[in-house]
Amino acid sequence: MGAKTAVLAYADDAIAKLLQDVSTSEIDGAMALVARVRPGYRVDADDEEAWELADALYPPEGTVCALSASGLDLVCDQEVMLDRPSELPQHLVAASRGRRLYLHAMHSVVDWLAFAVWDDGKLVRSLSLSPDSGVIEDIGERLPFELPYWEGRHPVEPFPPFEDEEPYPLPFHPLELGERSLLEFFGFYVEGFSDEEDAPEPVVDIWSVGLHGFRVTAMAQDEAD
C-alpha cells in the first residue's frame, strides 16, 4: 500500500454529503482557514490552479491544501500528523465548537494510522498505532466500524506464508483500518481493501474535488507581531 493522508476537517453535516455538494471553494476562505491552522506562518497561494483531493491528501512539506465551503472546512497538512491525536493544539480543537472535527493521518512506509473525532470540542475517539510502536493511543469507545478489526476478523496473513514467520504484531493491518475510517468519515478511500469483498463503494470521487494550495513559511518574530 502507498496510502498517505494528513487531513483535518470541520463539518456541520456528513462530510461525504458535503463533498458531493461542493461546487466552489473560495480562495479567500481557504486562505483564512490555513492561517488559522498555521498561526505565525506567512501564507501565499501556490502556482497550481487547483489540487485534486487525491493529490492533496498528503501535500509536500511547506505546502498546505484547503477547501472552505458551506458547512465544511477541510485542510491537508503534514503538521497534523500527530503520534497522539488527542494532543492536537487547543486552538484547532476550540475552532470546532458546534461542529464535528475529524483528524485522519496514515503513512504507508511505517504502516502507521492515527485518527480522532471531536464533537462540539469534546474528544470522542482517538487511535494511533503501528506494528513497530504498537498501540500509541487508544482513547474513547471504539467506533462501530472498528469492531470487526479488533475482533480479529481481518488478520494479516503472512506473505509468503512461511511457517516460522513471526505473527503480525497487531490484530489487523493499520492501513486497512485507515482505508475503512476514510470511507466512514469522508465517503472515500485511497487504495481500497484487500480482504473485504463486501466493502461499500465510495460515494465521493477524490479526483473531482478541488482544493486550493498554499505555501507556508514561518515568519520572524517581528513579522508575527
Side-chain angles (χ1 to χ4, degrees):
M1 282 189 168
K4 300 175 185 177
T5 63
V7 185
L8 197 66
Y10 300 84
D12 297 340
D13 201 347
I15 293 180
K17 178 179 181 299
L18 294 169
L19 284 174
Q20 286 177 297
D21 293 342
V22 167
S23 55
T24 59
S25 171
E26 295 295 334
I27 190 169
D28 290 344
M31 180 176 284
L33 173 61
V34 174
R36 290 197 300 273
V37 172
R38 287 288 200 109
Y41 282 75
R42 176 176 172 176
V43 180
D44 298 293
D46 68 13
D47 297 329
E48 299 288 337
E49 289 188 7
W51 286 71
E52 293 169 333
L53 179 57
D55 294 324
L57 289 170
Y58 184 77
E61 290 186 9
T63 296
V64 178
C65 297
L67 177 156
S68 184
S70 179
L72 177 63
D73 291 307
L74 186 148
V75 61
C76 302
D77 182 358
Q78 287 194 36
E79 288 293 306
V80 307
M81 300 178 76
L82 304 175
D83 285 342
R84 297 182 179 275
S86 66
E87 297 178 358
L88 186 72
Q90 185 54 38
H91 75 278
L92 297 180
V93 176
S96 69
R97 299 293 182 187
R99 312 179 83 182
R100 180 157 275 211
L101 171 61
Y102 298 86
L103 184 156
H104 191 284
M106 63 182 180
H107 201 296
S108 57
V109 172
V110 291
D111 291 350
W112 169 71
L113 165 69
F115 66 73
V117 181
W118 292 259
D119 197 357
D120 194 19
K122 179 181 178 182
L123 182 66
V124 174
R125 177 72 175 125
S126 180
L127 176 67
S128 176
L129 75 171
S130 73
D132 289 338
S133 300
V135 178
I136 302 166
E137 186 163 86
D138 185 2
I139 298 174
E141 185 175 347
R142 289 170 179 166
L143 301 172
F145 69 85
E146 296 180 60
L147 298 181
Y149 294 86
W150 292 105
E151 292 167 356
R153 299 186 207 172
H154 302 286
V156 178
E157 301 295 339
F159 184 79
F162 297 131
E163 292 182 1
D164 60 349
E165 184 171 334
E166 290 292 325
Y168 196 74
L170 295 168
F172 54 85
H173 197 293
L175 299 189
E176 289 278 354
L177 180 57
E179 295 278 22
R180 171 61 89 167
S181 54
L182 276 175
L183 184 63
E184 296 289 335
F185 295 158
F186 305 117
F188 62 82
Y189 47 73
V190 181
E191 293 194 337
F193 306 93
S194 63
D195 64 347
E196 290 194 56
E197 294 182 359
D198 61 344
E201 288 297 315
V203 297
V204 174
D205 180 1
I206 57 177
W207 297 100
S208 67
V209 178
L211 282 74
H212 300 284
F214 302 92
R215 297 186 305 275
V216 291
T217 311
M219 292 189 292
Q221 188 59 48
D222 56 343
E223 291 180 283
D225 294 340

